[in-house]
Every structure is written in structure tokens, then in C-alpha cells.
Amino acid sequence: DCWHGVLVEDPYVNLYPKRNKVLNNRISGTKAYGVAVYLPETDGNTDNQVRDNKISGIRGNVLTNSAGMGVYVVGAGALGTLVRDNVIDNCCINTDNENLAPGAIGLSGAHGCVIESNTIRGMTKYDGIRVVSSNNCRVQDNDIYMPAGNTTASASIYALDSDFISIKDNAIACDATSARRQVWVRSVSKETLSPVVDGNSIKGGQTASILELNGANMTTLAVKDALVANN
């Protein structure tokens, strides 16, 4: 009945967790997050790593049902966090809103992070990877399969209000009956600058766009200087 499997947290006493490695754990059935790196106060690059974990069945039935991520990285102090080679299955089971960053892997206000070579399966609710207000991040070489029946996902990979994001060389697929987007780069509260969507293998559903870049309007909230190539 734990909230988290592993929590790396800033205790708000000017002590910043750095160079921690969360490796080779099996985590399932927690209420909030499988692994959380929660560092709202910044002290440069903290070089934390979340690698080679197997995470499944994260419920999200706390924090007004806003939680539920397999790996959740949040805050300016999480600069440079590496999330790599994790296998994540069926998170956000009871999540019912988007107040945080619901997905198998969620970033919120965490810049310069790398999400690489993870395997994501069985997300019956919400996204595979969701990056919110996190600049200069790289989402690369991940393998994502989204099942049928997920009606709450924005996309398999969803980048919101995040500048200079690179979404590259991912293998993305969803069940043939799905109507979700596969890659969505979106501006809602600011201009989004220079996203790169390159070299991805994408197999989509029926009615939604395979790949979509858009802003809340085309002037003040546009996506600008995007590169979309080799998909």
C-alpha cells in the first residue's frame, strides 16, 4: 500500500539529491508512482538515473487521482535526469485527469532530461511518454505499443509547451482500432520552438493523425521552426 516504489526527493533544506541511481528494481501496485524524482529547487545538473527497472500496475488513486506514472520526473532540480532501459506496463490505472503528466513516463518542468530505450506496454489509460514544460529533452529509441480501449491518451508520445525537444528513432504502434495520435507536439500556453521529429517508425490507428504539430492559435501560440523528417 505504498505511495511510491522509490522516491528521490528534495527535502527543502538546501540539500539536493545528486548522482543517485535507481537500478534493477521490480515495482508494482503502488498508489502514486513507480519511481519519482521530485526536485523542485535547482542546483545545477543533478545527474540522477532511473535505469533497468521493471514497473507495472501503478494505480494512481491518490493526489485526487492525478498520479499513476511509472516514472515521474518533476522540477527544475531534476535537470539532466536519465530514464533508460526500463520496462513499464499498465500505469495510470485509476488516473482520471491531466493535472500532472499522466503516462508510463512523465516529465514536468524537468529540463535537459533523456528518455531512452524504454519499453512501454499495456497503457489502458493516458500516454506512453508525456513531456510537459520541459525544454532541451531527448526522447529516443523507445519502443511503445498502445493497446485498444485506451480512450484517454493524448498520444503515444506527447510533448506540450516544451522547446527544443528531440523525438527520434522511436518505434511506436497502437492497436488498429485506436483513434489516438502517435506523436503530438503542441503549444497551449507559449510558443514552442524547434522541435525535431526524426527517424521514427510509426504505425497508427484509424482516424487520428499519425503525427501532429499544432498550437492553440497560429500567431502567439504557434509551433515554430520544426523539423519533421525520415519517419
Side-chain angles (χ1 to χ4, degrees):
D1 231 21
C2 297
W3 274 46
H4 320 294
V6 178
L7 174 62
V8 178
E9 184 177 21
D10 173 5
Y12 297 95
V13 290
N14 296 317
L15 295 173
Y16 303 98
K18 294 185 177 183
R19 296 178 295 279
N20 297 286
K21 295 181 175 65
V22 182
L23 306 175
N24 296 313
N25 300 282
R26 289 179 177 268
I27 299 168
S28 65
T30 55
K31 289 182 178 181
Y33 311 117
V35 177
V37 180
Y38 185 83
L39 304 176
E41 297 181 352
T42 184
D43 185 43
N45 197 319
T46 51
D47 290 318
N48 293 296
Q49 299 182 16
V50 181
R51 290 172 33 211
D52 297 291
N53 301 282
K54 293 186 177 180
I55 301 170
S56 63
I58 307 304
R59 288 179 279 166
N61 57 344
V62 292
L63 301 174
T64 63
N65 288 17
S66 299
M69 286 71 95
V71 178
Y72 186 42
V73 180
V74 60
L79 179 71
T81 299
L82 173 65
V83 181
R84 183 175 182 179
D85 292 321
N86 301 282
V87 177
I88 304 174
D89 178 57
N90 193 20
C91 304
C92 300
I93 293 170
N94 296 316
T95 308
D96 62 13
N97 63 79
E98 300 184 24
N99 291 340
L100 299 179
I105 299 171
L107 301 186
S108 182
H111 307 303
C113 295
V114 176
I115 302 174
E116 184 175 34
S117 300
N118 300 281
T119 299
I120 296 170
R121 296 288 186 270
M123 292 296 296
T124 58
K125 297 179 77 174
Y126 290 101
D127 304 332
I129 296 170
R130 178 178 287 221
V131 178
V132 178
S133 301
S134 299
N135 301 330
N136 297 293
C137 293
R138 188 167 79 242
V139 179
Q140 182 169 320
D141 291 313
N142 300 283
D143 183 355
I144 303 171
Y145 180 80
M146 300 289 277
N150 184 334
T151 61
T152 55
S154 294
S156 298
I157 298 176
Y158 182 34
L160 176 64
D161 293 335
S162 297
D163 293 336
F164 306 107
I165 189 168
S166 174
I167 300 171
K168 188 171 182 180
D169 297 330
N170 300 281
I172 307 166
C174 70
D175 185 88
T177 62
S178 172
R180 75 180 56 78
R181 301 166 182 85
Q182 293 307 294
V183 175
W184 192 10
V185 178
R186 189 182 184 201
S187 295
V188 171
S189 63
K190 58 180 287 299
E191 284 187 350
T192 291
L193 302 177
S194 302
V196 174
V197 182
D198 182 21
N200 301 283
S201 172
I202 305 172
K203 181 180 179 181
Q206 292 180 323
T207 59
S209 304
I210 292 283
L211 195 158
E212 184 172 330
L213 290 79
N214 65 3
N217 64 56
M218 295 304 293
T219 53
T220 59
L221 298 175
V223 176
K224 292 189 174 182
D225 299 318
L227 172 64
V228 179
N230 304 310
N231 300 286

